[in-house]
Amino acid sequence: MRKYGLFLVVLSFVLIQSATFAFGKSKLPVDGKGYVGTLPELTRNYGANDEATDITPTSVSPIPSKDFNSEREIKPAPIEDPSFVNIILKTDKSSKYANDLNELIPLLEEIYDMIEENKNVQIFNAKVYYFNQSVDYFRDKYADKPEGQYISYKRLLELNTHARSIALLRSEAEKYNPYLSYGSEGYIYNPNNIREQLGYLKNEIRQTILLLRESN
């Protein structure tokens, strides 16, 4: 009898669970796409001012965005501050004009060395001719620009004229020397005079090189 009673208890428990499962399953309207029933309104028991619905921290305030296109947000440059003018607005040493000056310095140094080493007329004149072509390009490039008023610009043009005149003098001296007696008319072709003129030119080249380097 005791075993029979235990069997009835177990059977009753199984039947109750099956009924509960079947009842619960019949309450879930589903189709092939998932649940299609109506969800309960979870907030119906809470008021609009209830603390449970306020999940935004009241201690955090939104950061206002700045209008960077507004003139009030752009600080004017301190152009009256000497440190700004002397450092921030300092002239760019790698300007095109400075670069052009730097390209002419080696040519002047070569002519200077030729005078020192007493190179022959042909080599000297060839180097002076190349220097003249470079200065002509330099002159045309900056003649109508502010750089045309710089001391370095004017000095280069003067030196170019002087170098060309010495080159021409040496060419004529080499051509006419065999026929000259170095009298009053031929004095300018005298070797001593030519050496003196080359000395003047060398000194002028040295001063111009120093000026060009200081201009950079």
Side-chain angles (χ1 to χ4, degrees), residues 94-157:
S94 60
S95 66
K96 292 182 178 180
Y97 182 79
N99 290 337
D100 289 340
L101 292 182
N102 289 332
E103 291 182 2
L104 292 171
I105 291 176
L107 298 180
L108 290 175
E109 291 175 337
E110 291 180 359
I111 296 175
Y112 184 92
D113 291 339
M114 287 183 178
I115 298 175
E116 282 272 288
E117 299 169 4
N118 194 26
K119 293 291 185 179
N120 64 54
V121 176
Q122 288 75 18
I123 296 177
F124 174 83
N125 286 4
K127 188 60 64 176
V128 169
Y129 174 80
Y130 183 71
F131 174 70
N132 171 61
Q133 295 299 309
S134 300
V135 173
D136 283 348
Y137 171 79
F138 178 83
R139 178 198 61 203
D140 295 340
K141 184 176 182 180
Y142 295 106
D144 298 326
K145 296 181 180 180
E147 291 84 352
Q149 302 301 318
Y150 291 177
I151 296 177
S152 54
Y153 173 88
K154 296 179 179 179
R155 176 64 67 85
L156 275 170
L157 267 60

Side-chain angles (χ1 to χ4, degrees), residues 54-110:
D54 187 9
I55 61 174
T56 302
T58 57
S59 61
V60 179
S61 301
I63 301 176
S65 61
K66 292 184 177 181
D67 183 8
F68 288 99
N69 293 323
S70 174
E71 293 182 358
R72 292 176 297 178
E73 296 296 338
I74 302 176
K75 295 182 179 181
I79 57 176
E80 296 181 357
D81 185 355
S83 61
F84 179 82
V85 175
N86 295 332
I87 299 176
I88 305 301
L89 297 181
K90 192 173 183 179
T91 303
D92 183 10
K93 289 184 178 296
S94 60
S95 66
K96 292 182 178 180
Y97 182 79
N99 290 337
D100 289 340
L101 292 182
N102 289 332
E103 291 182 2
L104 292 171
I105 291 176
L107 298 180
L108 290 175
E109 291 175 337
E110 291 180 359

Side-chain angles (χ1 to χ4, degrees), residues 1-16:
M1 292 295 293
R2 183 176 299 177
K3 293 182 179 180
Y4 181 76
L6 179 61
F7 174 77
L8 291 176
V9 172
V10 173
L11 180 60
S12 298
F13 179 79
V14 172
L15 292 175
I16 292 171

